[in-house]
Amino acid sequence: MTDRKATLSVGDKSIELPIYSGTVGPDVIDVRSLVQEGVFTYDPGFVSTAACESQITYIDGANGVLLHRGYPIEELAENSDYLEVCYLLLNGELPTAEENKHFHDTIKNHTMLHDQMRNFYQGFRRDAHPMAIMCGVVGALSAFYHDQMDVANVEQREITAHRLIAKMPTIAAWSYKYSIGQPFVYPRNDLSYAENFLHMLFGVPCEDYQPNPILAKAMDKIFILHADHEQNASTSTVRLAGSTGANPYACIASGIAALWGPAHGGANEAVLDMLAEIGDEANIEKYIAKAKDKDDPFRLMGFGHRVYKNFDPRAKVMAETAHEVLTELGLENDPLLRIAQRLEKIALEDDYFVERKLYPNVDFYSGLILKAIGIPTSMFTVIFALSRTIGWFSHWNEMVSGDYRIGRPRQLYTGEKAREYPKK
């Protein structure tokens, strides 16, 4: 924070506005006093507005930097597992060995769902999208823990965090099982977080499912790389819902609903749709030409990023993981995956893409990994929501831990002025 000021001229009036500096990143101008002067700022999409102060995640899109509590995402993906990252996001520091073990044990002890929650699944149509099921079931958790949702109570907030982190894999896996008509598989506390998810997703009661360690490692990296991404649309939705004092389960459900949008959480699914549209390696040159034609509606999905104007720092980790998974499963010659690998090579070497910094992003590689593992595209956004739950909760927890007020965006009204109702 500084005592610097910006001066805004409105007509013949000059208004002084404080300028604040964060630890890193752009300075911000405090415009809260403008309402007293009868004017508001106009910023559709809030792309130039800092709606909160946060200590959780920092992104420098120009230089391809993503930090969680100060730690680069590449180092976390290399050295941590997902639950350790959860602890970091939630508490601000990496756990000691003892704290880490205790946290892992605590999460394992909360993986079960109340048996009556099976009834919620049975209320959905068999062909319901897994995201629809997940959104409803997460919101319904508030009906089972209504006596422990005092947002001002630190201990209750911590218990809620543990429940959400632990139960989301079960909720997600059961959403898939229900949609394909298979019986629910219960969690196993002897497995790691990622292994347990794969067990509940692919296991069946009549066989002993043993998670492949390479695939479990890949899934854990997907969880880490999607754990948080600063003030995106779904995180802002969770904060806005939380500003009303709504219970945390309802807030997380609102984040899931926002993530469901194809412009947000559906990007890796769009990558698979694009690969299917291209269809054959022989068609790649034609589609590359279409992508370069500004008058053609076709776009290469999974290349470039709205935030990162350089290389997505998560993409390198995902690229290495993708190649490990494809090699492990012997899928180097899968038609769609071969198309993807050709597109990756072109994007990294073609001057058109290099000059515009349209590098493959995390969604490009995560979609390939999930497909290779055998996960249907309908589950891609569900897995994203599972991963992002800790980010949503951490931001919600940070907000309710301090002084906050209900969100109330303004508008530029362009409708009719006051008019009389016509006499009959």
PDB file of all heavy atoms in Angstrom, residues 356-383:
ATOM      1  N   ARG A 356       2.448 -15.381 -32.845  1.00  0.00           N
ATOM      2  CA  ARG A 356       1.248 -14.999 -32.088  1.00  0.00           C
ATOM      3  C   ARG A 356       1.189 -15.672 -30.724  1.00  0.00           C
ATOM      4  O   ARG A 356       0.241 -15.508 -29.982  1.00  0.00           O
ATOM      5  CB  ARG A 356      -0.001 -15.351 -32.904  1.00  0.00           C
ATOM      6  CG  ARG A 356      -0.173 -14.457 -34.131  1.00  0.00           C
ATOM      7  CD  ARG A 356      -1.172 -15.043 -35.122  1.00  0.00           C
ATOM      8  NE  ARG A 356      -1.392 -14.133 -36.247  1.00  0.00           N
ATOM      9  CZ  ARG A 356      -0.531 -13.982 -37.254  1.00  0.00           C
ATOM     10  NH1 ARG A 356       0.606 -14.680 -37.269  1.00  0.00           N
ATOM     11  NH2 ARG A 356      -0.796 -13.139 -38.240  1.00  0.00           N
ATOM     12  N   LYS A 357       2.234 -16.454 -30.423  1.00  0.00           N
ATOM     13  CA  LYS A 357       2.342 -17.160 -29.146  1.00  0.00           C
ATOM     14  C   LYS A 357       1.132 -18.047 -28.875  1.00  0.00           C
ATOM     15  O   LYS A 357       0.614 -18.117 -27.752  1.00  0.00           O
ATOM     16  CB  LYS A 357       2.562 -16.164 -28.001  1.00  0.00           C
ATOM     17  CG  LYS A 357       3.858 -15.367 -28.173  1.00  0.00           C
ATOM     18  CD  LYS A 357       4.128 -14.426 -27.010  1.00  0.00           C
ATOM     19  CE  LYS A 357       5.460 -13.695 -27.220  1.00  0.00           C
ATOM     20  NZ  LYS A 357       5.759 -12.752 -26.141  1.00  0.00           N
ATOM     21  N   LEU A 358       0.684 -18.719 -29.934  1.00  0.00           N
ATOM     22  CA  LEU A 358      -0.440 -19.643 -29.814  1.00  0.00           C
ATOM     23  C   LEU A 358       0.101 -21.038 -29.497  1.00  0.00           C
ATOM     24  O   LEU A 358       0.005 -21.972 -30.284  1.00  0.00           O
ATOM     25  CB  LEU A 358      -1.255 -19.651 -31.108  1.00  0.00           C
ATOM     26  CG  LEU A 358      -1.943 -18.332 -31.463  1.00  0.00           C
ATOM     27  CD1 LEU A 358      -2.633 -18.431 -32.821  1.00  0.00           C
ATOM     28  CD2 LEU A 358      -2.953 -17.953 -30.384  1.00  0.00           C
ATOM     29  N   TYR A 359       0.691 -21.146 -28.321  1.00  0.00           N
ATOM     30  CA  TYR A 359       1.271 -22.413 -27.895  1.00  0.00           C
ATOM     31  C   TYR A 359       0.179 -23.339 -27.358  1.00  0.00           C
ATOM     32  O   TYR A 359      -0.870 -22.887 -26.885  1.00  0.00           O
ATOM     33  CB  TYR A 359       2.307 -22.178 -26.800  1.00  0.00           C
ATOM     34  CG  TYR A 359       3.422 -21.244 -27.190  1.00  0.00           C
ATOM     35  CD1 TYR A 359       3.583 -20.008 -26.566  1.00  0.00           C
ATOM     36  CD2 TYR A 359       4.329 -21.587 -28.191  1.00  0.00           C
ATOM     37  CE1 TYR A 359       4.609 -19.144 -26.908  1.00  0.00           C
ATOM     38  CE2 TYR A 359       5.364 -20.738 -28.547  1.00  0.00           C
ATOM     39  CZ  TYR A 359       5.494 -19.520 -27.909  1.00  0.00           C
ATOM     40  OH  TYR A 359       6.507 -18.675 -28.261  1.00  0.00           O
ATOM     41  N   PRO A 360       0.410 -24.647 -27.377  1.00  0.00           N
ATOM     42  CA  PRO A 360      -0.550 -25.561 -26.745  1.00  0.00           C
ATOM     43  C   PRO A 360      -0.676 -25.228 -25.257  1.00  0.00           C
ATOM     44  O   PRO A 360       0.324 -24.975 -24.581  1.00  0.00           O
ATOM     45  CB  PRO A 360       0.095 -26.943 -26.951  1.00  0.00           C
ATOM     46  CG  PRO A 360       1.033 -26.764 -28.103  1.00  0.00           C
ATOM     47  CD  PRO A 360       1.538 -25.362 -28.003  1.00  0.00           C
ATOM     48  N   ASN A 361      -1.911 -25.213 -24.750  1.00  0.00           N
ATOM     49  CA  ASN A 361      -2.119 -24.896 -23.339  1.00  0.00           C
ATOM     50  C   ASN A 361      -2.480 -26.148 -22.546  1.00  0.00           C
ATOM     51  O   ASN A 361      -2.529 -27.256 -23.084  1.00  0.00           O
ATOM     52  CB  ASN A 361      -3.176 -23.796 -23.175  1.00  0.00           C
ATOM     53  CG  ASN A 361      -4.535 -24.197 -23.733  1.00  0.00           C
ATOM     54  OD1 ASN A 361      -4.940 -25.358 -23.651  1.00  0.00           O
ATOM     55  ND2 ASN A 361      -5.249 -23.239 -24.298  1.00  0.00           N
ATOM     56  N   VAL A 362      -2.747 -25.972 -21.262  1.00  0.00           N
ATOM     57  CA  VAL A 362      -2.981 -27.117 -20.383  1.00  0.00           C
ATOM     58  C   VAL A 362      -4.201 -27.923 -20.819  1.00  0.00           C
ATOM     59  O   VAL A 362      -4.235 -29.148 -20.677  1.00  0.00           O
ATOM     60  CB  VAL A 362      -3.134 -26.644 -18.914  1.00  0.00           C
ATOM     61  CG1 VAL A 362      -4.400 -25.825 -18.712  1.00  0.00           C
ATOM     62  CG2 VAL A 362      -3.087 -27.822 -17.953  1.00  0.00           C
ATOM     63  N   ASP A 363      -5.211 -27.254 -21.396  1.00  0.00           N
ATOM     64  CA  ASP A 363      -6.423 -27.962 -21.818  1.00  0.00           C
ATOM     65  C   ASP A 363      -6.143 -28.898 -22.988  1.00  0.00           C
ATOM     66  O   ASP A 363      -6.762 -29.958 -23.106  1.00  0.00           O
ATOM     67  CB  ASP A 363      -7.508 -26.950 -22.209  1.00  0.00           C
ATOM     68  CG  ASP A 363      -7.910 -26.066 -21.048  1.00  0.00           C
ATOM     69  OD1 ASP A 363      -8.237 -26.624 -19.989  1.00  0.00           O
ATOM     70  OD2 ASP A 363      -7.893 -24.839 -21.190  1.00  0.00           O
ATOM     71  N   PHE A 364      -5.207 -28.501 -23.856  1.00  0.00           N
ATOM     72  CA  PHE A 364      -4.864 -29.343 -25.001  1.00  0.00           C
ATOM     73  C   PHE A 364      -4.337 -30.694 -24.514  1.00  0.00           C
ATOM     74  O   PHE A 364      -4.776 -31.750 -24.967  1.00  0.00           O
ATOM     75  CB  PHE A 364      -3.808 -28.637 -25.860  1.00  0.00           C
ATOM     76  CG  PHE A 364      -3.365 -29.429 -27.061  1.00  0.00           C
ATOM     77  CD1 PHE A 364      -4.157 -29.486 -28.199  1.00  0.00           C
ATOM     78  CD2 PHE A 364      -2.164 -30.124 -27.052  1.00  0.00           C
ATOM     79  CE1 PHE A 364      -3.751 -30.218 -29.314  1.00  0.00           C
ATOM     80  CE2 PHE A 364      -1.751 -30.848 -28.160  1.00  0.00           C
ATOM     81  CZ  PHE A 364      -2.550 -30.898 -29.294  1.00  0.00           C
ATOM     82  N   TYR A 365      -3.432 -30.665 -23.563  1.00  0.00           N
ATOM     83  CA  TYR A 365      -2.800 -31.900 -23.098  1.00  0.00           C
ATOM     84  C   TYR A 365      -3.688 -32.682 -22.125  1.00  0.00           C
ATOM     85  O   TYR A 365      -3.711 -33.913 -22.155  1.00  0.00           O
ATOM     86  CB  TYR A 365      -1.460 -31.593 -22.442  1.00  0.00           C
ATOM     87  CG  TYR A 365      -0.443 -31.036 -23.405  1.00  0.00           C
ATOM     88  CD1 TYR A 365      -0.047 -29.703 -23.336  1.00  0.00           C
ATOM     89  CD2 TYR A 365       0.113 -31.831 -24.399  1.00  0.00           C
ATOM     90  CE1 TYR A 365       0.888 -29.180 -24.210  1.00  0.00           C
ATOM     91  CE2 TYR A 365       1.048 -31.320 -25.293  1.00  0.00           C
ATOM     92  CZ  TYR A 365       1.431 -29.989 -25.194  1.00  0.00           C
ATOM     93  OH  TYR A 365       2.343 -29.481 -26.070  1.00  0.00           O
ATOM     94  N   SER A 366      -4.415 -31.980 -21.261  1.00  0.00           N
ATOM     95  CA  SER A 366      -5.238 -32.708 -20.287  1.00  0.00           C
ATOM     96  C   SER A 366      -6.342 -33.486 -20.977  1.00  0.00           C
ATOM     97  O   SER A 366      -6.700 -34.594 -20.558  1.00  0.00           O
ATOM     98  CB  SER A 366      -5.823 -31.742 -19.247  1.00  0.00           C
ATOM     99  OG  SER A 366      -6.711 -30.814 -19.836  1.00  0.00           O
ATOM    100  N   GLY A 367      -6.890 -32.926 -22.059  1.00  0.00           N
ATOM    101  CA  GLY A 367      -7.907 -33.650 -22.810  1.00  0.00           C
ATOM    102  C   GLY A 367      -7.361 -34.941 -23.400  1.00  0.00           C
ATOM    103  O   GLY A 367      -8.031 -35.982 -23.373  1.00  0.00           O
ATOM    104  N   LEU A 368      -6.133 -34.878 -23.900  1.00  0.00           N
ATOM    105  CA  LEU A 368      -5.507 -36.073 -24.464  1.00  0.00           C
ATOM    106  C   LEU A 368      -5.285 -37.139 -23.389  1.00  0.00           C
ATOM    107  O   LEU A 368      -5.505 -38.334 -23.617  1.00  0.00           O
ATOM    108  CB  LEU A 368      -4.170 -35.710 -25.100  1.00  0.00           C
ATOM    109  CG  LEU A 368      -4.194 -34.729 -26.275  1.00  0.00           C
ATOM    110  CD1 LEU A 368      -2.775 -34.503 -26.786  1.00  0.00           C
ATOM    111  CD2 LEU A 368      -5.081 -35.250 -27.390  1.00  0.00           C
ATOM    112  N   ILE A 369      -4.830 -36.702 -22.221  1.00  0.00           N
ATOM    113  CA  ILE A 369      -4.565 -37.640 -21.129  1.00  0.00           C
ATOM    114  C   ILE A 369      -5.850 -38.324 -20.682  1.00  0.00           C
ATOM    115  O   ILE A 369      -5.907 -39.547 -20.523  1.00  0.00           O
ATOM    116  CB  ILE A 369      -3.900 -36.912 -19.943  1.00  0.00           C
ATOM    117  CG1 ILE A 369      -2.498 -36.438 -20.330  1.00  0.00           C
ATOM    118  CG2 ILE A 369      -3.829 -37.822 -18.721  1.00  0.00           C
ATOM    119  CD1 ILE A 369      -1.863 -35.517 -19.316  1.00  0.00           C
ATOM    120  N   LEU A 370      -6.889 -37.528 -20.469  1.00  0.00           N
ATOM    121  CA  LEU A 370      -8.147 -38.087 -19.980  1.00  0.00           C
ATOM    122  C   LEU A 370      -8.734 -39.068 -20.994  1.00  0.00           C
ATOM    123  O   LEU A 370      -9.266 -40.117 -20.623  1.00  0.00           O
ATOM    124  CB  LEU A 370      -9.137 -36.960 -19.675  1.00  0.00           C
ATOM    125  CG  LEU A 370      -8.735 -36.030 -18.519  1.00  0.00           C
ATOM    126  CD1 LEU A 370      -9.728 -34.885 -18.373  1.00  0.00           C
ATOM    127  CD2 LEU A 370      -8.614 -36.796 -17.204  1.00  0.00           C
ATOM    128  N   LYS A 371      -8.640 -38.726 -22.267  1.00  0.00           N
ATOM    129  CA  LYS A 371      -9.135 -39.650 -23.301  1.00  0.00           C
ATOM    130  C   LYS A 371      -8.330 -40.939 -23.287  1.00  0.00           C
ATOM    131  O   LYS A 371      -8.893 -42.044 -23.372  1.00  0.00           O
ATOM    132  CB  LYS A 371      -9.066 -39.006 -24.684  1.00  0.00           C
ATOM    133  CG  LYS A 371      -9.558 -39.947 -25.802  1.00  0.00           C
ATOM    134  CD  LYS A 371      -9.373 -39.356 -27.164  1.00  0.00           C
ATOM    135  CE  LYS A 371      -9.970 -40.290 -28.238  1.00  0.00           C
ATOM    136  NZ  LYS A 371      -9.378 -41.629 -28.247  1.00  0.00           N
ATOM    137  N   ALA A 372      -7.020 -40.811 -23.186  1.00  0.00           N
ATOM    138  CA  ALA A 372      -6.163 -41.995 -23.193  1.00  0.00           C
ATOM    139  C   ALA A 372      -6.461 -42.906 -22.011  1.00  0.00           C
ATOM    140  O   ALA A 372      -6.452 -44.138 -22.145  1.00  0.00           O
ATOM    141  CB  ALA A 372      -4.696 -41.570 -23.183  1.00  0.00           C
ATOM    142  N   ILE A 373      -6.748 -42.319 -20.865  1.00  0.00           N
ATOM    143  CA  ILE A 373      -7.047 -43.110 -19.665  1.00  0.00           C
ATOM    144  C   ILE A 373      -8.376 -43.844 -19.808  1.00  0.00           C
ATOM    145  O   ILE A 373      -8.605 -44.866 -19.166  1.00  0.00           O
ATOM    146  CB  ILE A 373      -7.051 -42.192 -18.416  1.00  0.00           C
ATOM    147  CG1 ILE A 373      -5.617 -41.728 -18.114  1.00  0.00           C
ATOM    148  CG2 ILE A 373      -7.632 -42.896 -17.201  1.00  0.00           C
ATOM    149  CD1 ILE A 373      -5.521 -40.731 -16.978  1.00  0.00           C
ATOM    150  N   GLY A 374      -9.237 -43.319 -20.688  1.00  0.00           N
ATOM    151  CA  GLY A 374     -10.535 -43.960 -20.893  1.00  0.00           C
ATOM    152  C   GLY A 374     -11.688 -43.212 -20.277  1.00  0.00           C
ATOM    153  O   GLY A 374     -12.792 -43.759 -20.122  1.00  0.00           O
ATOM    154  N   ILE A 375     -11.455 -41.959 -19.919  1.00  0.00           N
ATOM    155  CA  ILE A 375     -12.499 -41.141 -19.305  1.00  0.00           C
ATOM    156  C   ILE A 375     -13.298 -40.439 -20.400  1.00  0.00           C
ATOM    157  O   ILE A 375     -12.723 -39.779 -21.265  1.00  0.00           O
ATOM    158  CB  ILE A 375     -11.876 -40.110 -18.347  1.00  0.00           C
ATOM    159  CG1 ILE A 375     -11.188 -40.849 -17.192  1.00  0.00           C
ATOM    160  CG2 ILE A 375     -12.920 -39.135 -17.814  1.00  0.00           C
ATOM    161  CD1 ILE A 375     -10.376 -39.954 -16.274  1.00  0.00           C
ATOM    162  N   PRO A 376     -14.624 -40.550 -20.401  1.00  0.00           N
ATOM    163  CA  PRO A 376     -15.441 -39.929 -21.448  1.00  0.00           C
ATOM    164  C   PRO A 376     -15.438 -38.407 -21.325  1.00  0.00           C
ATOM    165  O   PRO A 376     -15.230 -37.856 -20.245  1.00  0.00           O
ATOM    166  CB  PRO A 376     -16.836 -40.503 -21.208  1.00  0.00           C
ATOM    167  CG  PRO A 376     -16.852 -40.845 -19.748  1.00  0.00           C
ATOM    168  CD  PRO A 376     -15.451 -41.286 -19.424  1.00  0.00           C
ATOM    169  N   THR A 377     -15.683 -37.737 -22.442  1.00  0.00           N
ATOM    170  CA  THR A 377     -15.637 -36.275 -22.445  1.00  0.00           C
ATOM    171  C   THR A 377     -16.670 -35.657 -21.500  1.00  0.00           C
ATOM    172  O   THR A 377     -16.460 -34.557 -20.991  1.00  0.00           O
ATOM    173  CB  THR A 377     -15.855 -35.723 -23.861  1.00  0.00           C
ATOM    174  OG1 THR A 377     -17.081 -36.253 -24.397  1.00  0.00           O
ATOM    175  CG2 THR A 377     -14.706 -36.107 -24.774  1.00  0.00           C
ATOM    176  N   SER A 378     -17.758 -36.350 -21.237  1.00  0.00           N
ATOM    177  CA  SER A 378     -18.772 -35.817 -20.324  1.00  0.00           C
ATOM    178  C   SER A 378     -18.246 -35.655 -18.908  1.00  0.00           C
ATOM    179  O   SER A 378     -18.819 -34.911 -18.106  1.00  0.00           O
ATOM    180  CB  SER A 378     -20.008 -36.731 -20.303  1.00  0.00           C
ATOM    181  OG  SER A 378     -19.662 -38.021 -19.806  1.00  0.00           O
ATOM    182  N   MET A 379     -17.125 -36.336 -18.605  1.00  0.00           N
ATOM    183  CA  MET A 379     -16.546 -36.266 -17.263  1.00  0.00           C
ATOM    184  C   MET A 379     -15.404 -35.261 -17.155  1.00  0.00           C
ATOM    185  O   MET A 379     -14.903 -35.004 -16.065  1.00  0.00           O
ATOM    186  CB  MET A 379     -16.032 -37.651 -16.855  1.00  0.00           C
ATOM    187  CG  MET A 379     -17.103 -38.609 -16.388  1.00  0.00           C
ATOM    188  SD  MET A 379     -17.865 -38.091 -14.829  1.00  0.00           S
ATOM    189  CE  MET A 379     -16.486 -38.307 -13.701  1.00  0.00           C
ATOM    190  N   PHE A 380     -14.980 -34.677 -18.274  1.00  0.00           N
ATOM    191  CA  PHE A 380     -13.835 -33.778 -18.238  1.00  0.00           C
ATOM    192  C   PHE A 380     -14.066 -32.609 -17.293  1.00  0.00           C
ATOM    193  O   PHE A 380     -13.210 -32.266 -16.469  1.00  0.00           O
ATOM    194  CB  PHE A 380     -13.523 -33.256 -19.642  1.00  0.00           C
ATOM    195  CG  PHE A 380     -12.856 -34.249 -20.553  1.00  0.00           C
ATOM    196  CD1 PHE A 380     -12.736 -35.589 -20.195  1.00  0.00           C
ATOM    197  CD2 PHE A 380     -12.357 -33.850 -21.782  1.00  0.00           C
ATOM    198  CE1 PHE A 380     -12.127 -36.508 -21.040  1.00  0.00           C
ATOM    199  CE2 PHE A 380     -11.735 -34.756 -22.633  1.00  0.00           C
ATOM    200  CZ  PHE A 380     -11.627 -36.084 -22.263  1.00  0.00           C
ATOM    201  N   THR A 381     -15.209 -31.941 -17.423  1.00  0.00           N
ATOM    202  CA  THR A 381     -15.476 -30.770 -16.588  1.00  0.00           C
ATOM    203  C   THR A 381     -15.734 -31.173 -15.143  1.00  0.00           C
ATOM    204  O   THR A 381     -15.449 -30.413 -14.215  1.00  0.00           O
ATOM    205  CB  THR A 381     -16.659 -29.965 -17.143  1.00  0.00           C
ATOM    206  OG1 THR A 381     -16.527 -29.825 -18.549  1.00  0.00           O
ATOM    207  CG2 THR A 381     -16.712 -28.576 -16.520  1.00  0.00           C
ATOM    208  N   VAL A 382     -16.258 -32.367 -14.940  1.00  0.00           N
ATOM    209  CA  VAL A 382     -16.453 -32.885 -13.581  1.00  0.00           C
ATOM    210  C   VAL A 382     -15.104 -33.005 -12.874  1.00  0.00           C
ATOM    211  O   VAL A 382     -14.957 -32.617 -11.702  1.00  0.00           O
ATOM    212  CB  VAL A 382     -17.162 -34.255 -13.623  1.00  0.00           C
ATOM    213  CG1 VAL A 382     -17.175 -34.907 -12.245  1.00  0.00           C
ATOM    214  CG2 VAL A 382     -18.588 -34.098 -14.128  1.00  0.00           C
ATOM    215  N   ILE A 383     -14.106 -33.526 -13.583  1.00  0.00           N
ATOM    216  CA  ILE A 383     -12.769 -33.663 -12.998  1.00  0.00           C
ATOM    217  C   ILE A 383     -12.157 -32.297 -12.737  1.00  0.00           C
ATOM    218  O   ILE A 383     -11.477 -32.083 -11.727  1.00  0.00           O
ATOM    219  CB  ILE A 383     -11.887 -34.514 -13.929  1.00  0.00           C
ATOM    220  CG1 ILE A 383     -12.390 -35.963 -13.899  1.00  0.00           C
ATOM    221  CG2 ILE A 383     -10.423 -34.451 -13.522  1.00  0.00           C
ATOM    222  CD1 ILE A 383     -11.741 -36.864 -14.916  1.00  0.00           C
TER     223      ILE A 383
END
